[in-house]
Amino acid sequence: MGCAACVARVENTLKQQKGVESASVSLASNSAQVDYDPQVVSAAGLKKAVQDAGYDLIVPEESDDDADSDPESEAEAEAERRREDDYKALRRDMVLAVVLAVLIMVLGMGFDPFPGKGWALAALAAVSVFWCSRRFIGTAWRQACHGAANMDTLVALSTCISFFFSLFNLLFPQVWTSRGMEPRLYFESSSMIVAFILLGRVLEERAKQGTTASIRKLIGLQPRQVQVRAGETILVRPGDRIPVDGIVTEGESFVDESMLTGEPLPNRKEPGAKVYAGTMNQKGSLAVRAEKVGKDTMLSAIIRMVRDAQGSKARIQQTVDKVAAVFVPVIIGISLLAFLCWAFLADDGITRGLLAMVTVLVIACPCSLGLATPTALIAGIGKGASQGILIRDADSLQVAEKVDTVILDKTGTITVGHPEVTDIQWIDAAARQGGESILKAMEARSEHPLAGAILRALEKVDAADGVEAFESVPGEGIRASHAGKNWFVGNRAPQKCSISDTWRAEGKTVMYFHDYERVLAVIAVADAVKDSSVRAVRQLKEEGVAVHLLTGDNEGAARAVADQVGIGEVHASLLPQDKALYVKDLQRQGHTVAMVGDGINDSAALAQADLSVAMGQGSDIAISTAMVTIVSSDLEKLPQILALSRKTSRIIKENLVWASLYNLIAVPVAAGLFYPVSGFVLNPMIAAAAMACSSVLVVTNSLRLRR
């Protein structure tokens, strides 16, 4: 596809097929997303329909011969190979066209007339027009056979008209000399038009490859193919990419997960830890039991999500596509009108009219209109993916720009989502030295949910031997004996501790470790607030975004967390439907609301919000409901989402303003509308350079999002 008119034709062709519910075609990625009923139409049927429209479609082809083959990957590889071959051929033609254009210019303007000069120019120009620009002429002919026109039609018409007009003047000069007029040759114009347009296409393709670099980088992270099934155990050596999603069964190492989370620091992995395909094992060897392989891995899901998002269309793009669908016929009409006006109103009118016609055909640029929105969206969505932010579609990215209110869930969003020991106060150093090992031995035998938090806090302590008579006391704690003494860990104590009231006021759970005579340690356990949550809330408030906290937890715990992160608007003890109603009330007041959550209880509110953001470590339901997923569950990514949306929307507007103004100004100038006032007539060669620069400028502007 060469321009937005091509997109409109392919998209309409797909939508008209029986069984197709929706189709979205992207010029920036040269891809189509189609929702269709395979009982009514097949992928091969869609391919034939697109081919009948003058284009081609690469689709996955199922094969029964090789059970291990991946048709989707093979289709992707074929598409990438064809794109690479097309780009190399385009670059070769561009180099040849530039060389020919320079030769024609030097020969035409740098040498005095000599016998056969005109025929030498014609021969060189013929190679440029009919070989270097054969792709434009071929596509234009196929489109004409189907009663359609696109950007290639404009290029083919302009180059062929200028060439054949010059050839006519060379063959039949007497037609003009008999009227007292000089027969002029414009072979340099046709060759320069081809050179500039091919140069623009090469630069445009290179820039487009930059906007899709993120998805190619993700695909490049996919590990080499390994024959492994879920449930099998594999050995991952230092320096290897992990080929599956699984659980570490043996070994310890650090794993670089930046491609998933956007965080630069590697994570420590030990038995029981989760690992993901595509991440890099750094130090030690790991034995990994495979849970998900191939298309089921998180990396494959991310690649599908990013590709789908980059292929989706923003609402404004639908309007642009409607304009682009009629753009080429309108330009052809304007060029004919310019020719007729010059032919009847000016001396030497036919020559001037043909030049004006060629200039209008050359300078009009539906490419810049077609690329304005998708290149910015692809670059923005790709940038988000590289930072561990997965954006579902184009509308999700645009909605984020308007958010003025953010609602945060507490557990798993602001907090880490599981209890951690926040404080341990020992009565003295001697009590700590003797008591830590006994405390760990007792908690190691407990099944209470808070026992794990204490064990994590004491992971470097060796558990004491000889703990006996272990007993769980429901509602109170656990007790045991060691070295002839009785020990207790729980919520009651033989004496009052002043620090307890302070910690309880902060929403923490307080436990005591004692020997029934004196308290040896006071332990505070809470769902700890993430460090990033404090910074995220502060940044949102600095940007003028109101922040609310909604939770099903009690008022005390909610208020304590809110005070830590700086949130003033707090609502506790809410049911899932209460959260959704709260979002709806804010929307009735005119706010654009973003809801951030991680649990099943947040799914209703996420569905109601204008922008729904799920934490990557949350429930599958929350993630499937959300428009944006933060893979690392780092709340500090939320301001980045809003900033990325604002930048992307700004660049889309800049691109559309430029593309629209360019065409509104350039086309009348090319037609000679201002000639009566200024005496200025635009040269077709300058017009070709301007058109090439227009598309390149739009794509290059979109690439600023990658910085």
Side-chain angles (χ1 to χ4, degrees), residues 217-218 221 255-267 276-280 298-299 302 306 381-390 532 535 616-617 629-637 640:
K217 185 177 179 181
L218 284 172
L221 290 172
V255 174
D256 180 1
E257 296 181 328
S258 58
M259 45 73 69
L260 289 178
T261 65
E263 303 300 328
L265 295 178
N267 293 318
Y276 301 96
T279 56
M280 180 69 76
M298 180 182 285
L299 176 59
I302 289 174
V306 174
I381 290 168
K383 179 67 174 177
S386 69
Q387 296 176 334
I389 300 166
L390 304 182
S532 60
R535 296 190 295 270
Q617 296 172 4
T629 300
I630 299 174
V631 178
S632 64
S633 294
D634 180 356
L635 196 58
E636 210 166 0
K637 299 286 185 184
Q640 293 180 26

Side-chain angles (χ1 to χ4, degrees), residues 57-362:
L57 183 65
I58 300 172
V59 297
E61 296 181 1
E62 297 292 343
S63 174
D64 298 328
D65 299 334
D66 185 2
D68 295 322
S69 66
D70 184 354
E72 190 172 330
S73 298
E74 291 171 2
E76 285 288 342
E78 172 66 12
E80 188 63 33
R81 184 188 64 77
R82 285 205 203 177
R83 279 193 290 267
E84 187 65 28
D85 290 345
D86 287 344
Y87 177 73
K88 289 178 181 177
L90 182 66
R91 191 170 55 189
R92 286 194 300 269
D93 290 342
M94 180 270 293
V95 172
L96 178 58
V98 169
V99 170
L100 289 170
V102 171
L103 284 175
I104 292 171
M105 288 289 288
V106 171
L107 184 61
M109 299 180 180
F111 289 84
D112 294 330
F114 58 86
K117 178 180 177 180
W119 290 106
L121 292 174
L124 292 172
V127 176
S128 177
V129 171
F130 298 108
W131 176 256
C132 296
S133 67
R134 65 193 181 281
R135 70 189 70 245
F136 306 129
I137 296 173
T139 303
W141 175 254
R142 287 194 297 272
Q143 292 302 299
C145 291
H146 292 90
N150 62 5
M151 180 67 196
D152 292 338
T153 305
L154 302 182
V155 175
L157 282 174
S158 60
T159 54
C160 289
I161 287 172
S162 60
F163 177 83
F164 284 114
F165 179 62
S166 300
L167 188 62
F168 177 85
N169 290 351
L170 182 64
L171 290 170
F172 308 105
Q174 63 274 13
V175 173
W176 306 105
T177 55
S178 64
R179 292 173 171 80
M181 300 166 61
E182 181 184 352
R184 296 181 178 178
L185 303 181
Y186 297 97
F187 291 122
E188 69 276 3
S189 292
S190 59
S191 61
M192 276 293 180
I193 289 170
V194 172
F196 276 125
I197 290 175
L198 285 173
L199 177 61
R201 284 284 176 95
V202 168
L203 294 175
E204 180 186 312
E205 286 301 317
R206 286 189 63 181
K208 281 165 65 177
Q209 287 175 12
T211 64
T212 56
S214 59
I215 189 70
R216 293 199 307 276
K217 185 177 179 181
L218 284 172
I219 292 171
L221 290 172
Q222 289 183 308
R224 58 183 174 79
Q225 292 293 320
V226 292
Q227 298 299 324
V228 60
R229 293 182 175 84
E232 295 179 348
T233 300
I234 59 172
L235 179 66
V236 183
R237 296 181 175 84
D240 285 351
R241 287 203 181 275
I242 297 171
V244 298
D245 289 359
I247 301 292
V248 175
T249 57
E250 292 181 34
E252 293 184 3
S253 182
F254 284 89
V255 174
D256 180 1
E257 296 181 328
S258 58
M259 45 73 69
L260 289 178
T261 65
E263 303 300 328
L265 295 178
N267 293 318
R268 186 171 180 270
K269 301 295 181 180
E270 56 188 11
K274 283 188 175 183
V275 291
Y276 301 96
T279 56
M280 180 69 76
N281 184 28
Q282 292 190 335
K283 298 296 183 181
S285 294
L286 295 174
V288 177
R289 184 177 69 249
E291 290 192 325
K292 295 180 179 179
V293 299
K295 294 181 181 179
D296 298 326
T297 64
M298 180 182 285
L299 176 59
S300 295
I302 289 174
I303 290 172
R304 286 194 298 272
M305 188 174 183
V306 174
R307 183 182 285 122
D308 289 348
Q310 290 185 335
S312 64
K313 287 190 177 181
R315 292 165 196 169
I316 193 170
Q317 181 64 24
Q318 297 169 4
T319 304
V320 173
D321 287 348
K322 290 177 182 176
V323 173
V326 298
F327 185 92
V328 173
V330 168
I331 291 300
I332 293 174
I334 292 173
S335 69
L336 288 171
L337 181 62
F339 170 74
L340 294 173
C341 289
W342 279 102
F344 288 107
L345 299 177
D347 296 332
D348 195 13
I350 292 179
T351 300
R352 286 182 176 273
L354 282 170
L355 286 176
M357 183 180 185
V358 168
T359 307
V360 170
L361 291 171
V362 169

Side-chain angles (χ1 to χ4, degrees), residues 478-490:
I478 57 174
R479 57 190 176 198
S481 62
H482 178 266
K485 292 185 69 173
N486 293 322
W487 305 87
F488 182 88
V489 185

Side-chain angles (χ1 to χ4, degrees), residues 496-517:
K496 186 173 177 60
C497 300
S498 58
I499 194 65
S500 304
D501 295 334
T502 303
W503 287 346
R504 286 197 184 95
E506 295 173 357
K508 299 176 182 178
T509 299
V510 178
M511 293 184 291
Y512 306 93
F513 174 51
H514 58 82
D515 60 3
Y516 291 93
E517 295 178 2

